[in-house]
């Protein structure tokens, strides 16, 4: 599935020595040309796993500066919003918003980043909370897409994302990890009539990826891996397994992501 360029719409970069080099090696090994990068290491995985089941949150700030520095270093020091015509920079930085903080820092730095992530799983703030809406307002004003992962709990479900997306109809949202769990056909039904929500496919079963293409259309599906928690090769294999036609694969792997980023597709 890598005969044509691929943009991985969701990888993470922890502020650890050698993390950027390892990321680039993984991308190179799979033929992935570009990636959207958000901060990792905000929460240890044992705590995250417990919070996914039992609830809870951390108030830790993500290291957005480390992401920006790594992206700029990889891109030869070029600012994230000044990529080459039609292709853009290889690593594309997103701001990992912390709803426990006022949105002013994001607003002040928005021009340095290309999108926003909010995570009820990490920070424990519902998508229905005014603090999340305040961050999304900055994204809307900045022309940024919003990436989020939903949970099976009040205020953080896919239906709550639908409500948020309808409140900001001019902003693009990306539902990560194929919805909630591995086999969330219900998420596809909930977002089907909300055109400003796309589905990112990491983590979900092949049957969900195939159904998303069929029910939403390939133009609303984007490839992502959640590296380093999942290797890009595993996620690429899903689309090989379902025999995605080349024209649809180009949309999923390349064209849709560039549209979400506001870039002319190469």
């Amino acid at each position: 599935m890598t005969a044509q360029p691929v943009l991985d719409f969701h990888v993470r970069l922890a502020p650890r020595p050698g993390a950027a080099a390892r990321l680039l090696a993984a991308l190179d090994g799979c033929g992935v040309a570009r990636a959207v990068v958000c901060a990792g290491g905000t929460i240890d995985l044992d705590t995250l796993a417990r919070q996914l089941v039992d609830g809870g949150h951390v108030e830790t700030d993500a290291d957005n500066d480390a992401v920006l520095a790594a992206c700029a270093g990889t891109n030869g020091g070029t600012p994230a919003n000044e990529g080459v015509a039609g292709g853009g920079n290889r690593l594309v930085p997103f701001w990992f918003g912390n709803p426990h903080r006022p949105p002013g820092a994001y607003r002040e730095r928005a021009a340095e980043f290309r999108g926003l992530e909010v995570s009820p799983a990490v920070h424990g703030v519902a998508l229905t909370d005014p603090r999340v809406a305040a961050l999304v307002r900055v994204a809307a004003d900045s022309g940024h897409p919003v990436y989020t992962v939903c949970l099976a709990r009040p205020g953080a479900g896919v239906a709550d994302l639908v409500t948020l997306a309808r409140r900001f109809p001019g902003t693009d949202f990306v539902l990560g990890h194929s919805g909630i769990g591995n086999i969330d056909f219900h998420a596809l039904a909930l977002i089907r009539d909300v055109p400003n929500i796309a589905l990112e496919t990491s983590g979900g079963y092949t049957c969900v990826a195939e159904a998303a293409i069929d029910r939403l259309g390939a133009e609303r599906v984007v490839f992502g891996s959640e590296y380093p928690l999942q290797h890009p090769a595993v996620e690429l294999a899903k689309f090989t397994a379902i025999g995605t036609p080349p024209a649809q694969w180009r949309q999923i792997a390349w064209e849709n992501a560039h549209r979400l980023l506001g870039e002319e597709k190469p």
Side-chain angles (χ1 to χ4, degrees):
M1 301 304 297
T2 57
Q4 57 142 79
V6 174
L7 194 162
D8 187 333
F9 204 81
H10 189 60
V11 307
R12 294 199 181 278
L13 188 67
R16 300 189 182 106
R22 290 189 293 273
L23 167 60
L24 292 173
L27 299 180
D28 289 342
C30 297
V32 176
R34 304 184 69 196
V36 166
V37 183
C38 204
T42 307
I43 183 173
D44 70 86
L45 295 181
D46 289 293
T47 301
L48 176 60
R50 185 176 66 251
Q51 288 183 186
L52 288 171
V53 176
D54 297 334
H57 71 277
V58 299
E59 299 187 11
T60 310
D61 291 316
D63 197 337
N64 292 308
D65 286 329
V67 167
L68 191 64
C71 291
T74 303
N75 299 328
T78 305
N81 58 353
E82 296 181 9
V84 297
N89 287 315
R90 184 169 195 194
L91 299 183
V92 181
F94 270 36
W95 177 273
F96 197 152
N98 183 352
H100 296 286
R101 309 280 182 258
Y106 173 37
R107 185 174 293 280
E108 291 174 4
R109 304 283 305 280
E112 301 175 75
F113 292 81
R114 302 293 303 282
L116 169 70
E117 178 178 359
V118 290
S119 177
V122 173
H123 291 117
V125 179
L127 298 173
T128 53
D129 193 292
R131 293 171 292 177
V132 169
L135 287 167
V136 173
R137 170 55 62 194
V138 177
D141 292 343
S142 305
H144 286 174
V146 179
Y147 179 97
T148 193
V149 176
C150 291
L151 305 171
R153 66 182 59 150
V158 178
D160 300 301
L161 174 60
V162 166
T163 299
L164 184 63
R166 285 177 169 157
R167 182 175 173 184
F168 295 90
T171 298
D172 289 311
F173 291 80
V174 179
L175 170 59
H177 302 338
S178 302
I180 300 171
N182 297 316
I183 190 169
D184 194 356
F185 290 98
H186 186 49
L188 303 181
L190 288 171
I191 70 173
R192 182 182 56 198
D193 296 328
V194 190
N196 60 324
I197 302 179
L199 185 83
E200 181 268 310
T201 57
S202 66
Y205 285 169
T206 52
C207 63
V208 177
E210 193 166 24
I213 296 169
D214 180 60
R215 300 180 188 186
L216 303 176
E219 68 277 5
R220 288 181 59 193
V221 180
V222 292
F223 171 80
S225 70
E226 183 62 280
Y227 174 91
L229 303 187
Q230 179 84 310
H231 199 281
V234 176
E235 293 299 326
L236 289 166
K238 293 197 307 195
F239 291 93
T240 300
I242 65 176
T244 311
Q248 290 185 338
W249 176 236
R250 180 169 180 84
Q251 288 180 289
I252 294 164
W254 195 248
E255 294 178 355
N256 298 337
H258 285 86
R259 184 183 70 251
L260 289 166
L261 294 170
E263 295 182 9
E264 180 183 353
K265 64 185 180 184

